[in-house]
Amino acid sequence: NIRIIEDKIVKLEGMSDELNKLTVASGEKMEIDNLFFTIEVNNSCTLAEDLRCRVERINKKIRINKCGESSINGIFAAGDLVPGPQLVVTACANGAIAAIEINKQLLESEI
């Protein structure tokens, strides 16, 4: 069973390098084995909109195809600029997929 808590964490406790308790803003204290969290990431500029890339209405994340290309040919995006999990591993994977597509397009344009 995985419990999802959306309350603010106000205190973390543990011994040495092991986390085993937390307290949330409501005052509830709980013992834990693992902790997973997410943070909201907001764009720091309007570059995507300035370049006329299609973006999500709510969070302004760049809409991309399966290869990471935006609605504007030759403009690619990955990581916290696109919808989906905001994780380093996801950003790396999406960046690699985009790099492969960029290389493919560059090779095709040289033929």
Side-chain angles (χ1 to χ4, degrees):
N1 292 334
I2 298 174
R3 183 174 173 197
I4 298 174
I5 301 165
E6 296 184 15
D7 202 354
K8 182 178 179 180
I9 297 172
V10 295
K11 186 176 182 182
L12 297 171
E13 298 178 56
M15 298 280 250
S16 186
D17 64 347
E18 186 175 315
L19 178 65
N20 55 26
K21 294 180 185 176
L22 68 79
T23 305
V24 294
S26 67
E28 182 181 3
K29 298 178 182 189
M30 58 196 82
E31 291 190 17
I32 60 171
D33 295 316
N34 297 293
L35 174 65
F36 298 91
F37 63 92
T38 184
I39 58 172
E40 183 176 351
V41 178
N42 296 309
N43 297 349
S44 60
C45 68
T46 59
L47 181 60
E49 293 100 313
D50 295 345
L51 294 172
R52 307 231 186 272
C53 296
R54 285 193 182 149
V55 297
E56 299 289 327
R57 289 184 187 190
I58 296 173
N59 59 14
K60 303 296 184 192
K61 301 297 180 189
I62 301 171
R63 291 184 183 179
I64 57 170
N65 64 19
K66 66 181 181 178
C67 295
E69 191 167 19
S70 73
S71 58
I72 306 296
N73 291 340
I75 298 179
F76 292 79
D80 59 1
L81 296 175
V82 300
Q86 304 294 297
L87 303 170
V88 172
V89 67
T90 307
C92 292
N94 290 343
I97 291 167
I100 290 167
E101 180 63 19
I102 292 166
N103 186 59
K104 178 182 162 207
Q105 288 185 19
L106 288 171
L107 290 173
E108 288 173 353
S109 70
E110 292 178 6
I111 296 175

